[in-house]
Amino acid sequence: MKPFVLFGLFILSSVAALAQTGLRGTVKNAKGDALPYAAIIVKGSAATDRSQGTITNDEGRYELALTPGQYAVTFQYLGFQAVQKTVEITNGFQTIDVVLEEQAFRLAEVQAKAGNEDPAYSIMRRAIAKSRFHQLQVQQFTARNYGKASFVVLKLPAIANMFKKQLAEAEREANFKVGRPILYETVSEVTFRQPASYNRRIIASRNSQIDQVVPASFYLGSFYAPKIAGCVSPLSPSAFAYYKFEYEGTFREPGPNGREIEISKIRVIPRSWGEGVFRGVIYIIENTWAMHSFQLEYRSSQGFTTNTRATLSPIKNVWVPVNFRFESKGSFFGVEFTAQGASSQTYNQLTVNPAFVDDVPVIDEKKEKPASVLSQRDIKGQSFEQTVKKQKELTTKNFKQLIKEYEKQQFKDRKKKGDDVQVVRNDSTAIDSLAGKRSTAFWDSIRAVPLTSAEITSYAKNDSLRITREVKMKADSLKGKKKDKFSPVGFALSGSTFRLGPRTRLVWTSPVSNIEYNTVEGYAIEGGLRLNRMASKADSLKTPNVFRSIPRWYVGAVGRYQFGPRALVGYGQTGVRFVKGSLDASGGRYFYQFNPANPISPALNGLTTLVFEQNFMKLYAKDFVKLRGDVRTLNDRLSLAGSFEYARRSELANFKESISPWIDWKNRTFTPNRPDNVELATTSFPTHNALTLDLWAHLNLGTIRYRVRNGVRYRLVDDEAPVLSLNYRRGLGDVDYDFLQLSARQSLETGIRSRLSYAVSAGAFVQDRKLFFPDFKHFMGNEFWFQQGDPVTVFRMLPYYRYSTASRFAEAHVFGEFRKFILTQVTVLRLLDLRENLFVNYLTTPALKNYTEVGYGLNGLVPKVLPFFRVEVIGQFQDGAYKGLGYRLGTTLNFGR
């Protein structure tokens, strides 16, 4: 199990039984200052697994309900000496106020001398070697967990003064006010079982805004894992590549069974601060090399810094998390806010993995000479438990090898037993029918972290608003249920959706919402009407990833009026969805780009045509009938798709010879709707009939894994696995050709927010007895200074159609994204979330030998506001000869169809 559990914003929680006895008090330092979020750990008799805990609130106050009995209570705060007290609970709440003294650290006997390695590195090597051991140490547990999160808007931008009426309404309806906490509390019963089964039952939930139970999406992670919260853990096997460590001293405190333990304080220093790494301190227990506690902060991609603090406690000699706290402050578009959260977990039962009961000393072979070293033959096929018992000590390398061998054996055993080894996580959440109806007295009896005065005010205000809402609901029910109002303005400008039944929707898309311009159609408007039949509730629950938002079947039509030629075109369509595939049919008359991948969007082409007098989009007409289907198999690793189309294809011209743009550029004029191509004297073609069979196969070579949520399997896509694609296209009728293409694509993580992506393809017309320009192999070119689409596979300066081919081609793209490269070596620039790119695009055809683009880009051109824009500089080469330099402003966003 992951013994350290990180609970994110709006984290899960658990409940203790109602009680009127317990502990309360304050925790302060010697100066009398409150110590917020100090840990209070309570243990009963040694015979029980039960360990309870809480933390102080912002005011340093704590309160914990306990049944009568004797308890050992430990008060902890990072950087201060722990205080232990034995307490007898009889009647009522007992008050214990504690003063903590600052921790006195002593330095290890081996001091870091000039040129010597800091002692922290030896400590961390052993802690990292045992990190997976600590993850697997707990076989199963049941726990009760209380969690609280709050969000406070501290300041609104000056523009908010224009919306005073709306802000007043938000206070009346949603209990929102600047400076007032928005609270969320929940208590849950949590059960864990190896390898990754988490079940929770929410028995109480409360928030300060609405009356409904909102099951928070809880996040479970482990600092022993290589990554946590999107950051590299200080205990990751690759930690030394991202962090430096400094030893700051050692202290002693009572440990399990009253034995003293030594705890070292290690300063965690990122080699380059920014998103994806932590900084702060981590406390490591000598000999076991487990975590004792930590205080770390990390920076999110939005630029917010979050401080985290956690304390672990021993149960059956296993150090498990008992409380966690986070705090984040920031500003977004002028809105200043703070967010805080706290979680306290009480373990009822805990079972230790029997293979990991006996601990063995792990030595750092870089500092000590081991008595013996195990070979790979000594480890392979051997029992972890038996090997540990035979060895007096293990090197860090041998220990990691033993853990890997143990996991291999466990995987094989699970497979033999018939376990679903493809499931890497199995979660379930249930909500008690009384979860949202708990009384204030109930909450006061089980709340692990006392409310602050501001939080009490927020709840009191919400209670009064609840009464107002209930009175209003009763009044509305007497008047009768209100029907949704029809909006003529919305119907005309954007469209409307009409509910015809529980599962039937009629969707109207207004032509006014889709206005385009090009030199073939002039202005064009497009609207549609579609009848959707949604899947049944049973199908939606069984396969929500398929049927949650996609209709089971549909039928509809699209109409497009062209103001230039004063004509109406359009098509009808229908389709049905299955669990593993779909089938669609369409037919009509419509205008299409020669490149079916649409290298320039209609919206961008409208801009270039009207404003810059450059009509890049080239169209042809199709009167067609098309049948398309796809199916997924091999556990969704293999996707097969195909289409069969009959089309009468005809050439189009600009709707008139003299077209005036909004801005008249003296050195530009509109080009004909007939692309230039080096392989053809003219791309003109006669009206003809074409039967086209188009087949695709996509194979994902990655490992198939699933995550189960409430019994529903969700496939986890392996983003780093290679994907192979095969395309075969056959032309019949007035055309006669066979086209074959093989492609491969992959994207690999090379570091924090750094990736290397590539895409390669090659193909040829294996026979080309007769074909026209629409049948050519076209490439994703670009001729405008603004670049759209996939940054990996789009050429920056290649003309759209000049080098389209009816022969053979080879194409390659490599795109590297770097968190720290040239400009981002400067910390200030890196913290602005800027990322640098290097890319190479290559194409060769019989008419275009070795065309190459080499470029440099900078992502996040407008940091925090428009992070999806980038600026690029590109060098253009052909057959090794330099051809010129270009600049592009790019985005990954696509506009229009």
Side-chain angles (χ1 to χ4, degrees):
M1 169 323 171
K2 304 175 179 178
F4 176 77
V5 178
L6 176 62
F7 302 89
L9 187 58
F10 305 129
I11 46 184
L12 73 149
S13 50
S14 164
V15 66
L18 285 170
Q20 299 300 321
T21 57
L23 286 176
R24 61 163 61 106
T26 59
V27 179
K28 299 181 179 180
N29 61 17
K31 298 179 181 179
D33 300 325
L35 295 178
Y37 298 98
I40 297 93
I41 301 168
V42 180
K43 293 186 179 180
S45 63
T48 180
D49 296 346
R50 188 176 179 83
S51 175
Q52 302 182 70
T54 185
I55 51 182
T56 59
N57 64 10
D58 284 343
E59 299 162 349
R61 294 188 296 109
Y62 74 92
E63 185 173 298
L64 182 63
L66 297 168
T67 56
Q70 190 177 73
Y71 298 90
V73 185
T74 303
F75 299 85
Q76 290 178 287
Y77 193 81
L78 294 183
F80 288 76
Q81 296 178 29
V83 171
Q84 290 191 343
K85 292 181 178 290
T86 300
V87 179
E88 184 78 29
I89 301 296
T90 53
N91 298 320
F93 273 82
Q94 186 171 337
T95 299
I96 298 182
D97 296 327
V98 176
V99 176
L100 299 183
E101 301 287 342
E102 289 190 17
Q103 185 65 259
F105 290 91
R106 64 175 178 81
L107 296 179
E109 295 180 5
V110 181
Q111 297 294 315
K113 299 179 181 179
N116 287 353
E117 184 183 63
D118 191 293
Y121 285 90
S122 182
I123 295 171
M124 291 305 296
R125 274 194 288 269
R126 285 174 281 188
I128 290 169
K130 292 199 68 177
S131 60
R132 187 61 178 158
F133 172 90
H134 293 303
Q135 277 187 279
L136 299 169
Q137 205 170 8
V138 174
Q139 187 81 8
Q140 62 183 34
F141 72 77
T142 59
R144 297 169 302 158
N145 185 282
Y146 164 84
K148 179 178 76 171
S150 67
F151 181 85
V152 185
V153 174
L154 303 174
K155 183 181 178 182
L156 292 174
I159 194 173
N161 294 325
M162 299 171 59
F163 303 94
K164 291 182 178 180
K165 182 179 178 180
Q166 289 82 353
L167 289 172
E169 183 178 349
E171 182 178 0
R172 292 193 304 270
E173 299 292 333
N175 195 22
F176 171 79
K177 186 179 181 180
V178 174
R180 180 179 296 168
I182 298 172
L183 281 177
Y184 178 88
E185 290 181 288
T186 180
V187 288
S188 303
E189 296 171 348
V190 184
T191 302
F192 166 80
R193 184 183 299 272
Q194 285 281 10
S197 176
Y198 297 89
N199 304 292
R200 66 168 178 163
R201 180 172 171 266
I202 299 175
I203 62 173
S205 179
R206 187 183 186 190
N207 65 79
S208 64
Q209 282 200 309
I210 59 177
D211 303 330
Q212 299 175 354
V213 175
V214 181
S217 56
F218 65 103
Y219 179 75
L220 293 168
S222 170
F223 267 80
Y224 289 122
K227 276 193 172 184
I228 181 70
C231 302
V232 176
S233 168
L235 293 170
S236 166
S238 60
F240 292 111
Y242 298 97
Y243 299 103
K244 295 184 288 185
F245 300 99
E246 290 183 0
Y247 171 74
E248 294 191 350
T250 301
F251 65 91
R252 294 190 177 203
E253 70 174 36
N257 303 321
R259 295 173 299 178
E260 276 202 339
I261 57 174
E262 289 193 345
I263 302 160
S264 296
K265 180 182 180 183
I266 307 297
R267 175 71 55 181
V268 179
I269 306 168
R271 294 186 181 275
S272 60
W273 171 240
E275 183 186 352
V277 291
F278 293 96
R279 67 181 178 186
V281 294
I282 184 170
Y283 294 84
I284 301 295
I285 303 168
E286 290 283 326
N287 298 321
T288 67
W289 312 113
M291 282 189 297
H292 170 272
S293 52
F294 69 80
Q295 183 174 352
L296 297 167
E297 66 175 1
Y298 65 93
R299 186 178 177 87
S300 70
S301 58
Q302 293 79 24
F304 311 140
T305 299
T306 300
N307 295 287
T308 62
R309 179 190 296 253
T311 304
L312 289 81
S313 181
I315 300 178
K316 293 186 175 180
N317 292 324
V318 178
W319 289 79
V320 293
V322 291
N323 60 61
F324 172 80
R325 178 245 177 169
F326 74 87
E327 180 178 11
S328 181
K329 293 181 180 180
S331 176
F332 192 70
F333 285 108
V335 178
E336 296 181 13
F337 67 89
T338 180
Q340 295 181 341
S343 173
S344 179
Q345 183 149 294
T346 299
Y347 294 86
N348 297 321
Q349 291 183 339
L350 185 145
T351 303
V352 179
N353 188 332
F356 294 163
V357 172
D358 293 328
D359 208 351
V360 62
V362 175
I363 65 169
D364 178 11
E365 59 268 37
K366 291 189 176 183
K367 292 294 183 182
E368 304 176 54
K369 186 176 181 180
S372 63
V373 176
L374 298 177
S375 66
Q376 191 64 39
R377 182 180 298 178
D378 297 328
I379 294 172
K380 188 174 182 180
Q382 300 300 310
S383 162
F384 178 89
E385 188 175 3
Q386 294 302 320
T387 304
V388 166
K389 286 181 178 180
K390 292 178 184 178
Q391 296 296 122
K392 293 183 179 180
E393 61 184 21
L394 286 168
T395 65
T396 59
K397 182 179 179 180
N398 280 162
F399 196 87
K400 287 186 283 188
Q401 291 172 331
L402 275 172
I403 291 294
K404 285 184 179 180
E405 180 63 25
Y406 168 82
E407 291 191 88
K408 288 180 182 178
Q409 294 176 15
Q410 289 294 304
F411 183 85
K412 291 179 180 178
D413 291 343
R414 289 179 56 217
K415 203 170 182 179
K416 287 180 181 178
K417 292 177 183 177
D419 292 350
D420 192 346
V421 294
Q422 291 182 326
V423 175
V424 297
R425 181 75 176 268
N426 192 338
D427 299 339
S428 67
T429 300
I431 302 175
D432 191 283
S433 59
L434 298 176
K437 303 175 182 178
R438 303 296 185 183
S439 65
T440 301
F442 173 88
W443 280 101
D444 290 341
S445 67
I446 54 88
R447 181 176 287 115
V449 183
L451 298 177
T452 64
S453 55
E455 292 169 343
I456 293 172
T457 300
S458 182
Y459 269 144
K461 181 64 177 177
N462 187 59
D463 289 340
S464 65
L465 290 175
R466 182 184 297 112
I467 297 173
T468 303
R469 287 194 293 265
E470 290 174 353
V471 171
K472 187 176 184 298
M473 288 176 62
K474 289 180 180 179
D476 290 341
S477 64
L478 294 175
K479 295 178 182 178
K481 186 178 178 180
K482 292 184 178 179
K483 296 183 179 180
D484 294 334
K485 291 184 178 180
F486 172 73
S487 172
V489 176
F491 180 86
L493 295 181
S494 60
S496 299
T497 298
F498 303 94
R499 182 187 290 266
L500 305 182
R503 296 167 50 200
T504 308
R505 310 285 187 274
L506 183 64
V507 181
W508 158 251
T509 303
S510 171
V512 180
S513 65
N514 190 8
I515 303 175
E516 299 171 1
Y517 186 87
N518 58 71
T519 56
V520 174
E521 301 174 295
Y523 285 101
I525 58 174
E526 183 174 300
L529 191 65
R530 178 163 155 161
L531 182 68
N532 291 334
R533 177 72 170 173
M534 308 306 290
S536 65
K537 186 175 181 180
D539 285 341
S540 296
L541 292 175
K542 190 182 299 182
T543 53
N545 52 326
V546 178
F547 293 122
R548 178 168 292 170
S549 58
I550 299 176
R552 180 62 124 159
W553 60 260
Y554 70 93
V555 59
V558 172
R560 183 179 181 89
Y561 184 75
Q562 305 158 330
F563 286 88
R566 298 181 183 178
L568 179 67
V569 298
Y571 56 89
Q573 56 184 348
T574 186
V576 61
R577 296 288 180 269
F578 309 101
V579 174
K580 290 293 185 179
S582 63
L583 187 64
D584 301 90
S586 59
R589 176 177 174 80
Y590 203 74
F591 291 1
Y592 291 95
Q593 294 190 49
F594 285 101
N595 186 344
N598 296 334
I600 184 168
S601 70
L604 182 57
N605 181 74
L607 174 68
T608 64
T609 303
L610 293 170
V611 178
F612 296 95
E613 202 171 348
Q614 293 176 295
N615 56 323
F616 296 118
M617 182 183 288
K618 305 302 178 185
L619 304 171
Y620 72 102
K622 279 201 307 187
D623 297 270
F624 71 97
V625 175
K626 185 175 183 178
L627 184 67
R628 183 195 176 279
D630 65 80
V631 65
R632 300 182 303 279
T633 185
L634 295 181
N635 290 321
D636 292 345
R637 291 177 60 188
L638 178 62
S639 175
L640 302 173
S643 66
F644 186 72
E645 178 188 72
Y646 166 79
R648 185 166 180 79
R649 305 188 299 197
S650 54
E651 192 176 11
L652 297 170
N654 292 338
F655 75 93
K656 65 179 181 179
E657 291 186 4
S658 179
I659 302 175
S660 299
W662 290 350
I663 300 176
D664 187 12
W665 296 71
K666 293 182 180 180
N667 59 336
R668 294 176 184 170
T669 183
F670 287 129
T671 59
N673 186 53
R674 184 177 293 170
D676 291 328
N677 183 264
V678 295
E679 294 185 11
L680 297 174
T682 176
T683 56
S684 175
F685 60 91
T687 299
H688 63 278
N689 299 323
L691 288 170
T692 306
L693 175 67
D694 197 7
L695 302 177
W696 279 93
H698 304 281
L699 178 62
N700 188 310
L701 299 181
T703 304
I704 300 299
R705 299 178 302 162
Y706 294 93
R707 177 170 182 168
V708 177
R709 292 179 180 172
N710 290 337
V712 179
R713 290 163 65 95
Y714 296 87
R715 182 186 169 197
L716 301 176
V717 178
D718 188 349
D719 292 331
E720 297 200 350
V723 177
L724 302 181
S725 300
L726 179 65
N727 173 224
Y728 171 72
R729 181 158 44 99
R730 172 71 166 133
L732 299 168
D734 292 338
V735 297
D736 187 3
Y737 66 87
D738 292 274
F739 174 78
L740 193 64
Q741 174 179 315
L742 180 64
S743 307
R745 181 165 183 170
Q746 189 177 16
S747 180
L748 300 168
E749 186 178 44
T750 55
I752 300 173
R753 293 174 60 244
S754 300
R755 299 194 74 83
L756 179 66
S757 305
Y758 70 85
V760 295
S761 62
F765 286 85
V766 292
Q767 71 91 358
D768 57 353
R769 282 186 284 270
K770 191 175 183 181
L771 67 160
F772 299 105
F773 195 65
D775 304 306
F776 275 42
K777 168 60 183 179
H778 304 288
F779 306 102
M780 293 298 288
N782 179 63
E783 298 179 56
F784 191 54
W785 56 264
F786 188 80
Q787 176 76 42
Q788 276 186 274
D790 179 13
V792 179
T793 58
V794 175
F795 289 94
R796 279 24 176 204
M797 300 173 67
L798 182 73
Y800 290 111
Y801 295 109
R802 183 168 178 77
Y803 299 105
S804 298
T805 185
S807 183
R808 62 188 181 275
F809 76 96
E811 181 180 2
H813 306 268
V814 180
F815 186 88
E817 189 174 31
F818 305 96
R819 170 180 176 263
K820 186 178 180 182
F821 188 51
I822 300 175
L823 296 178
T824 46
Q825 293 282 345
V826 181
T827 302
V828 174
L829 295 178
R830 189 170 61 253
L831 294 182
L832 289 175
D833 199 29
L834 295 176
R835 279 175 287 180
E836 295 173 278
N837 306 321
L838 285 179
F839 56 88
V840 177
N841 301 315
Y842 173 83
L843 176 65
T844 186
T845 71
L848 181 68
K849 299 293 186 181
N850 302 318
Y851 174 82
T852 308
E853 296 175 350
V854 179
Y856 166 87
L858 188 65
N859 276 19
L861 190 58
V862 187
K864 314 304 176 190
V865 181
L866 298 172
F868 36 76
F869 283 99
R870 65 181 183 275
V871 62
E872 298 176 336
V873 57
I874 308 102
Q876 194 177 30
F877 301 84
Q878 186 171 345
D879 234 0
Y882 174 71
K883 293 296 181 180
L885 193 68
Y887 302 91
R888 295 290 183 263
L889 177 66
T891 179
T892 56
L893 299 181
N894 281 311
F895 305 98
R897 57 186 168 89

